[in-house]
């Protein structure tokens, strides 16, 4: 394959909107258009539902059905029943791949493992890593803390303060008690604690506090949950928003371009495709929450004569600084012991998350996986006999290791012939290798002598972020600290695009908390405008 360079892509002309777009088949008018219904878009819809504004939620997929196949591992993993994303391409090699994103009402949260931690306070500060500096955010942990509390209450998070030494300050307790470990995971936690480590019960949004409920959730890490026991964005945010008289959901609708007004500083409409028709959606405010890749791609595809590099891109940073985490699947096997755990995603470990006496740089996070099964392993090792994979997974503990991926201008998103290309060269890998080494030692001491590991590649991108970074300076950021585009008066981004850094934890709760924060800023600005209008003397 021919290796391409980002410079080649950057020099290529952008597709530009025609001066007069083709006449749409339908025109829809609303006050606020939210593009995407996942964690960011769903939470925004919920937060704005009582504002009095008409809200239109636009989702390119439809509702994922609750059906027996939700927990059929062959259907989910081997047949890819719920994978509905389009093909993306490796920017450097041109090789196609299926990304780890999902187009359903609720977005990726329909299949996520419901792991909902807060970022650590240090994640919002400038931090030195092995391969460089992780930049400070334009707001602090203290600024976001009240919204973390609101997001935990909204998404019914289960957790326990005081078990993890790195846990930041909470103004209120978790709304629900932490899920306890099942016996085999409790034994692992006891061993880790005996080694001087500090395992804790992870914060999560799974209603699985009885054996009966755990049985219903046993396959829900990476798959839908038919019983509705997962705190996904459809259940928690979208459905309550639709119960108000102000919100409407439009499914199977793909936004293909944003249209600016004559002055180029305001978006006046979104063009969307639905059932082979073109729909023009006009609104006063647009909130983009399609995921870090698709949000950046839409801005790039919306280039005009006035915005030749794409909308909101005077800084040249739209699509740049793409981050996804350095991640490894880790399997420890005790050949002589069956692991009967139904849901093992209850244990976490952050002893090496921050720099300390034994690690001069941050290493990252350990969290358990829900529970690997033979079909999941078969997807990655199709050549391996299923009975062998079943014997392995029956005797395994399954771990996900995460190390921070640092922002790099050379990592990003571009559009070539209307196809999404992902440019990603992992960095900060030595701390990740050290994290894997330390966990190997600890797991073997805990009684799992056989260890298999595999680092994830470009297609594992459910934690994507950073493609429209927030900051104070328009020259070095795309968004204001309140996540409004510097270049556009009425566009906000509510997904992980705004992250200045990726931290080393699941981003879902931070996206939700920030959406609540941004919604408050939008509401406050609207209130201020209305008060000014009322004070203005009549002409």
């Amino acid at each position: 394959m021919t290796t391409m360079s980002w410079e080649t892509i950057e020099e290529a002309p952008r597709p530009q909107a025609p001066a007069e777009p083709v006449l749409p088949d339908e025109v829809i008018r609303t006050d606020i258009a939210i593009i995407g219904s996942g964690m960011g878009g769903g939470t925004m819809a919920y937060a704005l539902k009582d504002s009095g504004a008409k809200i239109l939620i636009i989702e390119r997929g439809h509702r994922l059905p609750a059906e027996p196949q939700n927990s059929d591992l062959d259907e989910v993993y081997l047949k890819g029943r719920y994978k509905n994303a389009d093909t993306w391409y490796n920017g450097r090699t041109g090789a196609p791949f299926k990304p780890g994103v999902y187009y359903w009402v609720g977005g990726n949260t329909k299949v996520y493992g419901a792991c909902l931690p807060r970022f650590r306070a240090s994640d919002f500060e400038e931090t030195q890593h092995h391969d460089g500096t992780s930049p400070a955010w334009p707001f602090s942990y203290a600024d976001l803390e009240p919204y973390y509390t609101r997001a935990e209450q909204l998404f019914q998070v289960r957790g326990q303060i005081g078990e993890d030494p790195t846990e930041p300050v909470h103004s209120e307790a978790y709304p629900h008690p932490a899920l306890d470990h099942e016996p085999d995971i409790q034994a692992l936690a006891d061993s880790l604690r005996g080694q001087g480590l500090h395992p804790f019960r992870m914060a999560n949004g799974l209603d699985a506090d009885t054996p009966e409920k755990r049985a219903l959730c046993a396959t829900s890490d990476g798959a839908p949950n038919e019983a509705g026991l997962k705190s996904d964005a459809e259940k928690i945010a979208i459905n309550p928003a639709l119960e108000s008289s102000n919100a409407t959901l439009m499914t199977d609708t793909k936004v293909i371009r944003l249209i600016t007004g004559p002055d180029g500083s305001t978006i006046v409409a979104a063009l969307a495709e639905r059932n082979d028709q073109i729909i023009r959606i006009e609104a006063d405010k647009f909130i983009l929450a399609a995921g870090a890749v698709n949000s950046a791609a839409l801005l790039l595809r919306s280039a005009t004569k006035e915005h030749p590099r794409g909308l909101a891109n005077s800084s040249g940073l739209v699509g740049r600084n793409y981050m996804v985490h350095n991640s490894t699947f880790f399997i420890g096997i005790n050949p002589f012991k069956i692991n009967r755990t139904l849901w093992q995603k209850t244990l976490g470990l952050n002893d090496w998350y921050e720099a300390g006496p034994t690690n001069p740089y941050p290493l990252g996070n350990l969290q358990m996986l829900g529970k690997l099964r033979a079909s999941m392993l078969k997807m990655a090792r199709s050549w391996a006999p299923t009975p062998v994979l079943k014997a392995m997974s029956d005797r395994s503990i399954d771990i996900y290791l995460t190390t921070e991926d640092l922002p790099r201008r050379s990592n990003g998103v571009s559009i070539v012939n209307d196809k999404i290309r992902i440019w990603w060269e992992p960095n900060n890998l030595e701390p990740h290798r050290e994290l894997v080494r330390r966990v190997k030692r600890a797991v073997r001491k805990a009684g799992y002598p056989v260890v298999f590991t595999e680092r994830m590649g470009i297609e594992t991108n459910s934690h994507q972020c950073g493609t429209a970074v927030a900051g104070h300076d328009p020259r070095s950021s795309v968004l204001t600290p309140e996540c409004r585009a510097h270049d556009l008066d009425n566009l906000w981004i509510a997904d992980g695009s705004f992250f200045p850094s990726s931290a080393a934890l699941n981003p879902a709760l931070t996206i939700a908390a920030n959406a609540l924060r941004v919604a408050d800023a939008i509401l406050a600005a609207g209130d201020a405008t209305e008060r000014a209008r009322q004070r203005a003397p009549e002409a």
Side-chain angles (χ1 to χ4, degrees):
M1 293 185 180
T2 302
T3 300
M4 305 183 72
S5 69
W6 186 295
E7 287 72 22
T8 302
I9 303 303
E10 286 293 277
E11 292 168 1
R14 298 280 186 204
Q16 294 184 5
E20 293 293 335
V22 294
L23 289 176
D25 298 290
E26 182 181 0
V27 177
I28 295 174
R29 173 70 200 175
T30 190
D31 296 325
I32 301 173
I34 300 176
I35 303 169
S37 66
M39 187 60 95
T43 305
M44 286 294 294
Y46 180 90
L48 297 172
K49 66 183 176 64
D50 298 322
S51 66
K54 290 175 58 180
I55 300 167
L56 179 64
I57 308 158
I58 308 160
E59 170 55 52
R60 67 188 294 176
H62 50 265
R63 290 189 185 269
L64 192 154
E67 56 187 3
Q69 290 88 344
N70 290 170
S71 55
D72 185 327
L73 296 180
D74 286 352
E75 286 286 334
V76 173
Y77 293 99
L78 300 184
K79 297 180 183 179
R81 184 179 184 88
Y82 302 108
K83 287 184 73 77
N84 57 1
D86 42 4
T87 299
W88 296 352
Y89 296 84
N90 185 315
R92 290 176 172 80
T93 67
F97 67 94
K98 280 292 186 182
V101 297
Y102 295 81
Y103 305 145
W104 300 104
V105 176
N108 283 3
T109 68
K110 295 302 296 182
V111 301
Y112 79 155
C115 186
L116 294 171
R118 299 183 178 204
F119 282 3
R120 313 293 88 170
S122 60
D123 289 324
F124 295 82
E125 303 166 354
E126 182 176 297
T127 303
Q128 188 62 41
H129 288 264
H130 183 276
D131 280 12
T133 300
S134 181
W137 289 37
F139 52 88
S140 68
Y141 172 79
D143 294 328
L144 196 59
E145 197 284 329
Y147 298 100
Y148 269 134
T149 296
R150 283 174 53 186
E152 287 167 349
Q153 293 167 346
L154 175 61
F155 283 88
Q156 302 168 15
V157 178
R158 289 161 164 75
Q160 177 60 53
I161 301 171
E163 295 183 352
D164 175 10
T166 71
E167 184 76 22
V169 172
H170 286 234
S171 57
E172 296 185 29
Y174 283 104
H176 299 282
L179 293 180
D180 288 329
H181 305 313
E182 295 175 52
D184 287 313
I185 305 309
Q186 184 61 57
L188 173 63
D190 293 342
S191 175
L192 294 174
R193 194 170 292 108
Q195 297 176 46
L197 302 173
H198 301 83
F200 59 92
R201 290 172 293 171
M202 292 196 307
N204 68 78
L206 197 71
D207 181 8
D209 55 359
T210 68
E212 294 76 17
K213 289 180 179 179
R214 292 217 178 181
L216 295 173
C217 298
T219 61
S220 297
D221 191 4
N225 180 251
E226 183 185 359
L229 298 176
K230 189 187 294 187
S231 290
D232 64 56
E234 179 189 29
K235 168 188 170 182
I236 296 293
I238 294 292
N239 289 345
L242 296 178
E243 291 172 2
S244 75
S245 60
N246 298 322
T248 304
L249 174 65
M250 179 182 288
T251 59
D252 297 303
T253 305
K254 179 182 177 181
V255 176
I256 56 175
R257 185 181 291 277
L258 301 175
I259 305 296
T260 54
D263 64 358
S265 65
T266 304
I267 294 176
V268 296
L271 291 185
E273 295 176 340
R274 188 187 194 203
N275 298 329
D276 298 322
Q277 292 189 320
I278 298 296
I279 301 173
R280 179 182 172 95
I281 301 167
E282 299 176 350
D284 299 323
K285 297 179 176 68
F286 290 84
I287 297 169
L288 187 50
V293 170
N294 280 310
S295 288
L298 179 59
L299 295 174
L300 295 173
R301 285 188 173 117
S302 301
T304 66
K305 182 178 180 181
E306 293 79 17
H307 302 277
R309 294 195 294 182
L311 295 187
N313 199 23
S314 63
S315 65
L317 291 174
V318 170
R320 299 279 191 171
N321 296 311
Y322 169 76
M323 297 169 282
V324 289
H325 288 155
N326 297 309
S327 301
T328 288
F329 276 107
F330 181 111
I331 301 174
I333 297 174
N334 181 337
F336 308 107
K337 189 175 187 299
I338 301 292
N339 179 3
R340 303 189 185 281
T341 306
L342 294 171
W343 180 259
Q344 64 181 8
K345 200 179 184 75
T346 55
L347 182 148
L349 187 76
N350 280 333
D351 282 67
W352 308 299
Y353 190 90
E354 298 171 318
T358 66
N359 49 293
Y361 301 105
L363 302 185
N365 165 261
L366 175 156
Q367 63 177 266
M368 305 299 293
L369 293 167
K371 183 67 193 83
L372 287 182
R373 315 285 176 176
S375 296
M376 305 175 189
L377 297 175
K378 188 75 172 180
M379 183 177 63
R381 296 290 184 270
S382 59
W383 49 266
T386 299
V388 172
L389 298 177
K390 185 177 186 305
M392 291 174 59
S393 61
D394 284 350
R395 294 162 174 80
S396 70
I397 56 165
D398 317 299
I399 294 171
Y400 196 67
L401 300 177
T402 304
T403 300
E404 185 159 343
D405 183 24
L406 303 180
R408 296 284 186 266
R409 284 182 61 93
S410 56
N411 286 340
V413 181
S414 65
I415 305 297
V416 180
N417 298 324
D418 205 36
K419 303 293 186 183
I420 289 177
R421 287 186 177 266
I422 301 298
W423 305 77
W424 183 60
E425 186 68 30
N427 59 63
N428 210 31
L429 285 175
E430 180 50 39
H432 190 63
R433 287 188 283 263
E434 177 60 22
L435 178 63
V436 172
R437 286 191 288 265
R438 293 188 183 200
V439 174
K440 278 183 180 179
R441 289 196 295 268
V443 165
R444 284 173 172 150
K445 288 180 181 179
Y448 296 87
V450 181
V451 171
F452 296 93
T453 65
E454 181 169 347
R455 186 164 62 84
M456 298 295 96
I458 195 170
E459 70 286 346
T460 304
N461 50 16
S462 57
H463 294 180
Q464 60 188 252
C465 60
T467 58
V469 66
H472 296 283
D473 189 344
R475 296 169 298 179
S476 58
S477 59
V478 176
L479 307 173
T480 69
E482 291 73 38
C483 294
R484 181 181 59 80
H486 286 298
D487 301 348
L488 296 161
D489 296 334
N490 65 336
L491 174 69
W492 290 260
I493 298 184
D495 53 35
S497 302
F498 83 91
F499 285 23
S501 62
S502 66
L505 290 164
N506 307 54
L509 189 75
T510 299
I511 291 172
N514 184 67
L516 295 172
R517 183 184 71 92
V518 173
D520 270 7
I522 292 173
L523 292 171
D527 290 345
T529 300
E530 179 62 19
R531 288 194 297 271
R533 186 191 66 80
Q534 292 175 355
R535 288 195 302 267
E538 294 184 5

